Amino acid sequence: MTDADVTEIAVQTMTVGAKVAAPVLLTALLVGFLISLFQAATQIQEPTLSFVPKMIAVSIALLVTGNWVLAEMVSFTEHLFDSLPHLLGRT
């Protein structure tokens, strides 16, 4: 296993991690932004007004994208396990 192989695996891991986390993080970001706009416009400063809608939206995002997230993770893991003989020098 060379330094290039380790770097390639690290880049692939971070890419898959970003793709998998994006739906949940973007949903929380969008809902948090909309709630903060609403709070600024109405001057309602209730902490649960921010937390509960975000929790519900993230749960829905996980339900909607969960199958795709799992498929991406399984695909990446299978690809990594398939490339182990090559990485260990046993082609």
Side-chain angles (χ1 to χ4, degrees), residues 6-85:
V6 173
T7 304
E8 182 182 341
I9 292 171
V11 168
Q12 288 176 351
T13 302
M14 287 186 275
T15 304
V16 169
K19 281 175 31 178
V20 163
V24 174
L25 292 177
L26 291 175
T27 301
L29 177 71
L30 180 65
V31 170
F33 179 72
L34 293 174
I35 294 297
S36 67
L37 280 177
F38 175 75
Q39 284 181 327
T42 60
Q43 296 185 356
I44 298 173
Q45 299 301 321
E46 180 65 32
T48 57
L49 186 63
S50 174
F51 179 73
V52 173
K54 266 197 263 186
M55 187 175 65
I56 292 169
V58 166
S59 299
I60 291 171
L62 281 172
L63 286 173
V64 170
T65 62
N67 193 24
W68 172 79
V69 166
L70 184 62
E72 284 290 317
M73 296 291 286
V74 167
S75 172
F76 175 71
T77 305
E78 286 176 347
H79 173 70
L80 192 60
F81 283 164
D82 288 343
S83 65
L84 272 179

